[in-house]
Amino acid sequence: ALFPLMTVWADAYQTAHPGVQFDVQAGGAGKGMTDMLSGAADIAMLSREPRQEELAQGAFVVPVTIDSVVGTVNAANPYLEEILAQGITPEEAQAIWITGEISTWGQLLGNGSDEPINVYTRADSAGAAEMWALFSLGEAQEELVGTAVNADPGLAEAVRQDPLGVGYNNVGFAYDQTSGQPIAGLRILPIDLDGNGRIDPAEDFYATRDDFTTAVAAGLYPFPPARTLYLVTKGAPNPAITDFYRWVLTDGQAFVHQAGYVPLTAVRLQEALDMLEE
């Protein structure tokens, strides 16, 4: 989830500090935390809340921005108009991704169709999957059912190739980074916030990435599947990483919105800076 923004931060920071080099790799929150705690990486990018066992191993967690997970459907889905008009509730997401009680588009939309909902989920340990499980009234990624696909791009591509498919992605992999439109072949699955069976105008904010992040910043999109993103070191960060963290929480925030993320509040940013000083 944090990879697109982290590459922007790394490039900008290296330009201003040519003595610092970054090697930024994506691989899911679970891999990042494992590599950092084992010493294979200096910093982990974390897209979920830290686990107690990770904190017990010395994980030092610094909040840096806000991101979201969104449901996705194929743009050529034969029921796309109905899907976008009705949206989905947490209870319906649970019945699709956790219990499997809703297995056809007719069951979801009430239109009599017996065509299957082809469900996709993440194969690798991922913050996106954990957030989607929590949104779906579950507790852990392991509860999610469906065809398991590795990594954000792989999950997006699986749904893009399947007109009856449904999945979920971090925002940075659901919207095109250049145009701000949903990635070609995908549409965003809207959430029916008030549970009235339709997407009202106040709930319809998915047309562009900017529309969506504005809604997240305004508190219109639920947490989860919105969530805080973190950078993590094993133990307190060394002076070089601390300097980078300070930059991320100050000057680096200028890159957050343009990269498609939501800034932390001024209070949360100051709390993170105070934690570094301590």
Side-chain angles (χ1 to χ4, degrees):
L2 192 49
F3 177 77
L5 178 55
M6 189 64 178
T7 59
V8 172
W9 277 338
D11 288 344
Y13 194 76
Q14 283 182 165
T15 298
H17 302 81
V20 178
Q21 298 293 318
F22 288 88
D23 174 16
V24 186
Q25 300 182 20
K31 176 172 171 52
M33 291 295 283
T34 298
D35 287 352
M36 179 273 298
L37 290 170
S38 69
D42 297 298
I43 303 173
M45 298 175 284
L46 183 62
S47 53
R48 55 166 170 76
E49 293 302 308
R51 294 171 179 160
Q52 189 55 48
E53 59 266 28
E54 295 164 343
L55 296 171
Q57 294 178 68
F60 184 93
V61 182
V62 177
V64 291
T65 190
I66 293 170
D67 189 34
S68 304
V69 180
V70 293
T72 59
V73 294
N74 188 290
N77 187 294
Y79 312 108
L80 183 63
E81 187 174 337
E82 294 172 73
I83 295 167
L84 299 182
Q86 175 179 310
I88 194 171
T89 64
E91 291 78 13
E92 289 166 338
Q94 181 187 53
I96 294 170
W97 270 278
I98 294 183
T99 68
E101 293 173 5
I102 293 179
S103 60
T104 70
W105 289 103
Q107 287 175 297
L108 177 64
L109 302 170
N111 61 11
S113 169
D114 60 0
E115 290 196 274
I117 299 175
N118 296 333
V119 182
Y120 294 91
T121 187
R122 286 284 289 270
D124 50 331
S125 177
E130 186 164 314
M131 290 303 105
W132 199 250
L134 289 170
F135 165 69
S136 303
L137 306 179
E139 295 182 358
Q141 173 178 352
E142 291 74 21
E143 296 177 89
L144 296 172
V145 301
T147 300
V149 183
N150 194 55
D152 249 308
L155 184 48
E157 185 61 21
V159 177
R160 271 172 28 96
Q161 297 298 323
D162 186 347
L164 298 177
V166 63
Y168 54 86
N169 279 104
N170 293 305
V171 167
F173 296 88
Y175 288 90
D176 185 273
Q177 292 294 315
T178 302
S179 69
Q181 304 291 320
I183 287 176
L186 285 184
R187 293 296 296 272
I188 310 303
L189 179 59
I191 294 178
D192 178 11
L193 298 170
D194 60 10
N196 67 353
R198 62 178 183 272
I199 298 299
D200 299 312
E203 300 169 324
D204 188 9
F205 41 71
Y206 301 90
T208 70
R209 188 183 65 184
D210 284 350
D211 290 340
F212 178 76
T213 56
T214 297
V216 175
L220 300 179
Y221 195 71
F223 282 70
R227 84 301 206 181
T228 302
L229 303 182
Y230 302 91
L231 295 177
V232 193
T233 56
K234 186 171 184 178
N238 65 38
I241 293 176
T242 298
D243 287 344
F244 171 63
Y245 279 2
R246 288 196 192 98
W247 178 87
V248 163
L249 295 167
T250 54
D251 295 348
Q253 292 296 300
F255 299 94
V256 168
H257 181 72
Q258 67 190 56
Y261 296 74
V262 176
L264 297 171
T265 65
V267 171
R268 194 92 190 271
L269 289 169
Q270 188 58 54
E271 288 174 348
L273 287 167
D274 292 344
M275 181 172 61
L276 291 177
E277 295 306 316
E278 293 172 5

Coordinates of all heavy atoms in Angstrom, one line a residue, residues 20 27-28 31 37 44 58 110 123-124 135 157 161 177 221 244 260 268 270 274:
V20 N 22.6 9.5 0.8 CA 21.6 8.5 1.2 C 21.1 7.7 0.0 O 20.7 8.3 -1.0 CB 20.4 9.1 2.0 CG1 19.5 8.0 2.5 CG2 21.0 9.9 3.2
G27 N 6.2 -6.2 -1.4 CA 6.0 -7.6 -1.1 C 5.0 -8.0 -0.1 O 4.9 -9.1 0.3
G28 N 4.2 -7.0 0.3 CA 3.2 -7.3 1.3 C 3.7 -7.0 2.7 O 4.9 -7.0 3.0
K31 N 5.7 -9.8 4.7 CA 7.1 -9.9 4.2 C 8.0 -8.8 4.7 O 9.1 -8.9 5.2 CB 7.2 -10.0 2.7 CG 8.7 -10.1 2.2 CD 8.7 -10.4 0.7 CE 10.2 -10.3 0.2 NZ 11.2 -11.0 1.0
L37 N 12.4 -7.3 10.9 CA 12.7 -7.9 12.2 C 13.9 -8.9 12.1 O 14.6 -9.0 13.1 CB 11.5 -8.6 12.7 CG 10.3 -7.7 13.2 CD1 9.1 -8.5 13.5 CD2 10.7 -6.9 14.4
A44 N 10.4 -1.3 7.5 CA 9.3 -2.0 6.9 C 8.2 -1.0 6.6 O 8.0 0.0 7.4 CB 8.8 -3.1 7.9
G58 N 10.4 -5.7 19.3 CA 11.0 -4.4 19.2 C 10.6 -3.5 18.1 O 11.2 -2.5 17.8
G110 N -30.6 -9.4 -6.5 CA -32.0 -9.7 -6.6 C -32.6 -9.7 -8.0 O -33.8 -9.4 -8.1
A123 N -3.1 -14.0 -1.9 CA -2.4 -15.2 -1.4 C -1.3 -14.9 -0.4 O -1.0 -15.8 0.4 CB -1.8 -15.9 -2.7
D124 N -0.7 -13.7 -0.5 CA 0.4 -13.4 0.4 C -0.1 -12.6 1.6 O -1.2 -12.0 1.5 CB 1.4 -12.5 -0.4 CG 0.8 -11.4 -1.1 OD1 -0.3 -11.5 -1.6 OD2 1.5 -10.3 -1.3
F135 N -13.4 -5.2 7.3 CA -14.6 -4.5 6.8 C -15.7 -5.5 6.6 O -16.9 -5.2 6.8 CB -14.2 -3.8 5.4 CG -15.4 -3.5 4.6 CD1 -16.3 -2.5 5.0 CD2 -15.7 -4.2 3.4 CE1 -17.4 -2.1 4.3 CE2 -16.8 -3.9 2.7 CZ -17.7 -2.8 3.1
E157 N -5.2 -7.6 -11.8 CA -5.3 -8.2 -13.1 C -6.2 -9.4 -13.2 O -6.9 -9.6 -14.2 CB -3.9 -8.6 -13.5 CG -3.7 -9.2 -14.9 CD -4.1 -8.2 -16.0 OE1 -4.0 -6.9 -15.7 OE2 -4.4 -8.6 -17.1
Q161 N -9.4 -9.5 -15.8 CA -9.5 -10.6 -16.8 C -10.8 -11.4 -16.7 O -11.1 -12.3 -17.5 CB -8.3 -11.5 -16.8 CG -7.0 -10.9 -17.1 CD -6.9 -10.4 -18.5 OE1 -7.5 -11.0 -19.4 NE2 -6.3 -9.2 -18.7
Q177 N -2.2 5.9 -11.7 CA -1.4 7.0 -11.0 C -1.3 8.3 -11.8 O -1.1 9.3 -11.3 CB 0.0 6.4 -10.7 CG 0.0 5.3 -9.7 CD -0.4 5.8 -8.3 OE1 0.0 6.9 -7.8 NE2 -1.3 5.1 -7.6
Y221 N -15.5 7.8 4.2 CA -15.3 6.4 3.9 C -14.9 5.7 5.2 O -14.1 6.3 6.0 CB -14.1 6.3 2.9 CG -13.9 4.9 2.3 CD1 -14.8 4.5 1.3 CD2 -12.8 4.2 2.5 CE1 -14.7 3.2 0.7 CE2 -12.6 2.9 2.0 CZ -13.6 2.5 1.0 OH -13.4 1.2 0.4
F244 N 15.4 11.0 8.2 CA 14.4 10.8 7.1 C 13.0 10.8 7.6 O 12.1 11.4 7.0 CB 14.8 9.4 6.5 CG 13.7 8.9 5.5 CD1 13.5 9.7 4.3 CD2 13.0 7.8 5.7 CE1 12.5 9.2 3.4 CE2 12.0 7.4 4.8 CZ 11.8 8.1 3.7
G260 N -1.9 10.4 -4.2 CA -3.1 9.7 -4.0 C -3.4 9.2 -2.6 O -4.2 8.3 -2.4
R268 N -1.7 14.5 14.8 CA -1.1 13.1 14.7 C 0.4 13.3 14.2 O 1.2 12.6 14.6 CB -1.9 12.3 13.7 CG -1.5 10.8 13.7 CD -2.4 10.0 14.7 NE -1.9 8.7 14.9 CZ -2.3 7.6 14.2 NH1 -3.1 7.8 13.2 NH2 -1.8 6.4 14.5
Q270 N 2.4 15.8 14.7 CA 3.2 16.4 15.8 C 3.4 15.3 16.9 O 4.5 15.2 17.4 CB 2.5 17.6 16.5 CG 3.3 18.3 17.5 CD 4.6 18.8 16.9 OE1 4.6 19.5 15.9 NE2 5.7 18.4 17.5
D274 N 7.1 14.2 18.1 CA 7.4 14.1 19.5 C 8.0 12.8 19.9 O 8.9 12.7 20.7 CB 6.2 14.5 20.4 CG 5.8 15.9 20.2 OD1 6.6 16.8 19.7 OD2 4.6 16.2 20.6

